[in-house]
Amino acid sequence: MRALDWELYDRWIRPRAPVSVSPALVVVVRDAASEARLGRGAWDRAVLARLVTGLSRAGAAAIGLDAALGQPSAPGRGGAASDALLSQATALAGAVVYPLALELDGAHTPAGAPRPPGHRSWPALPPAGYAWPAARPLAGPLPGLTGHARAIGHTLAPADPDGVVRKVPLFVRLEDRVVPAFGLALGAVFMRASLEQITVSRDGVAIVRSGFAPVLVPVDRQGRASVAWAPVEPRIVPFADVWAALAGGPSERLGALVDGKAVLVLAEPARAERPTPLGPMSDVAIQLQLLNTLLTGSWLVDAPPRATLLGTLAAAALAAWLWLALRWWAALVGLAVLALGVGAAFALAPLLAGVLLPAGLPLAAVALASAGALVWNQLASGSRLRRLEGEVARMREALVRRESAVETLEEDLDAARAAAARSGSAEDALRDELDRARAQEAEARRRLEELERASRALRPVEDRGAAGGLARLARECERFGIVTRDPALLAAFRDLEKAARSSLPVLLAGEPGTGKELFARAVHRLSPRAAGPFVAVNMAAISPELAESELFGHVRGSFTGAVGDRKGYFEQADGGTLFLDEVGDLRPEHQGKLLRALQERSFHRVGATRPTAVDVRVVAASNRDIERGVAEGWFREDLYFRLKGLVLRLPPLRERPGDVPLLAARLVAEAAAELGRPALPLGEAAAAALARHDWPGNVRELQQCLRQAVALAEGPVLTPEDLRLPAPARPAGEAPGDGEVAVLASLRRHAFDMQATARALGWDRSTVTQRLKGLGFRALVEAGGDRARAALALAGDPALVRSVELKLSEYHEHLLRVVEGFESAEAAVAACRRRFKNLPERHFRSLELLVRQHFERRPGR
């Protein structure tokens, strides 16, 4: 469109109103009445000859006759005589246009194909940069009657990539000539223009008319014209009406209908139809739309490339802004509105402006911009989240320091009150300092809560890094019924995910009740064998005498009681996974047969003479130490190496106390649903009792304990009494419920927030502080004074190590400040006993060791 003559465009092409039907166009269609009279198939060409003669005498300026050409008339349909009559009528009318059956050809006409017919209406147009489609004829030479036709045109209209026909090629190439479109040829005859004088330029195709300005038809680079689709129903005339008018001789009504107009006669039976913007249409009906567009001058033009590019960039920029500036749901609504707007512009632009907009390019740009914005959001959110998490970590450290300062000042205040020698002014000064420290702690806590809320808001968007990976693994575990947040168990599941996609055998080691069967089922469901069977076998429950029959099956009569053939577990698991639980209990004589079946992937049923081949993946499990069994000789080494493709050791529940509250919450809900009771919350004291218990039976024991508690509980909350756990062994002097395990579990659960832990346990904060201080002193002694090692031992979670290390540093440094002015370790220990009088006695030995180590390391000793 850059080189288009805009004056010609504005004068002859630009539509002034919505697309309409040309009053110079009349369409005659065959109807039920005419088919009842003349037949449902192809009509006798003598009928068409009479129709052409009548329309010509009535003054029709151009007649388009949809007649199947290429073969002579059949004897039953008039034969050669009918063809002669139609040829004569065509010659006398002088303005008849016929369609030609062609098909598109991506290359030149192949050798041996019929010689393409020629006609005087087919010009040798210059290419002018257009890629005219190549075509070849479907029929043989044209019959003689077409030699008298004014023009012959093609009815080809290739569809767009979405299968809808929107444009029509004005010419197709037939060797060294070009064939005009049927609608174009009929329109040129109506305008009394010569097809030989049609000119082609970069602006489009111009129909030259003597004494009139040329009609310019804009085309794309493939030589296709964009049709303005419009219904033509008001201009349709039934064939039966025209035939009745002809039967009565010259008719003024027929003359008034067709005089000076272009008449298109659709006399052929219904043909295959193709999708168009107005619905399914035949090829000739599509040419009718081309003719109507030509007569009304309602051409559509492709949008200028510059405008298309600007519009595409604007849509893409708006889509990107929506995702970057709004929340996801608002961006999604805005994107839907934008897509609807692009679609509406695509539909309305041809009607309102005569411009054909490309819908695919803007929508593709919107999709790409949205994807790019989402990626940018992910990257930006990740960076922002990392900065925010860094600030959260710094604020948490500040809170720990403030908290420790408050605790230290509280101890100093107690010491000041206890010291009779201190003056009232010193106590007041300490009170003021304590108030300031408490205010600073409250402000640090408020700021930390704000940062953590902001971090939680971003975390669903950014799920990368170590924390995000553990969260993803935890969610994946829950899909298979595995409830855990333990890093070691999640790491084992990560290895399982990778190994499940291969055929690698898996060996699961762990105590009873640690979830070995859940892991085995996860291996099966994550593997390509997920659609196959999963067969679980408890080897410890199989009788030694029947082990071979159970595993491999037997044939009828192989032993007493074998009344029929039976498939063993290996055959039942063919194409799937076989889970051999407690494989360590398999007797030595059966271990060799199992090894042979695994190596050869085949076995003999008991009593069978032919082997049976299977495709089975084996997942084995044992609560016994298989490696020790190999060393002691009760388990075959070669079978062990066959089973240990991947060895996963599942930790017992006592090694992952952080999972106890998660498991307890789910098990309580399941038990309540099973019993038809409303869900019972687990009280804090009950949770502490669960955390103190060692759980030798692991999850099974925990499940039975909670089922019993839900069944027997009478109150609205589960209490320690409902659990009916045996009382744990306690050091002398330790009060019930005062156990270190429960305190440490609660501290870990609340990320070592002393205030939250005290509130959960129902204690004051100073009591929790003294418990953690005692645990910290003991951990420092056990770690040889290494604060990092001691912090890791207390934290249990790498994410909490930094907070714990800060607290241990504060406690240790405060202890060293207390003993700084003393000359001997004995005097310092005596002062510490007065100063740390609330420290549990069982931890004072650790404090004393730290003090003596400090004095031993003093310079000059």
Side-chain angles (χ1 to χ4, degrees), residues 475-488:
R475 290 194 299 270
E476 285 297 304
C477 283
E478 289 183 5
R479 286 203 307 126
F480 303 104
I482 303 168
V483 179
T484 184
R485 295 295 185 273
D486 182 66

Side-chain angles (χ1 to χ4, degrees), residues 241-369:
D241 293 352
V242 176
W243 189 254
L246 292 175
S251 171
E252 294 181 0
R253 178 173 174 271
L254 184 59
L257 182 64
V258 304
D259 185 26
K261 298 180 181 178
V263 182
L264 177 59
V265 180
L266 305 180
E268 287 297 309
R271 297 174 182 170
E273 297 179 330
R274 292 189 291 162
T276 71
L278 292 180
M281 288 187 181
S282 65
D283 288 341
V284 175
I286 293 173
Q287 295 295 321
L288 169 62
Q289 291 292 326
L290 174 64
L291 174 60
N292 180 66
T293 306
L294 179 63
L295 297 180
T296 58
S298 304
W299 296 106
L300 302 180
V301 295
D302 291 333
R306 185 175 300 175
T308 300
L309 179 60
L310 290 176
T312 300
L313 292 177
L318 181 56
W321 177 83
L322 289 172
W323 286 110
L324 293 174
L326 304 179
R327 292 183 176 272
W328 69 267
W329 59 267
L332 202 59
V333 172
L335 193 64
V337 172
L338 178 60
L340 290 175
V342 172
F346 174 72
L348 296 177
L351 298 176
L352 301 180
V355 176
L356 191 63
L357 299 178
L361 184 61
L363 291 177
V366 167
L368 287 175

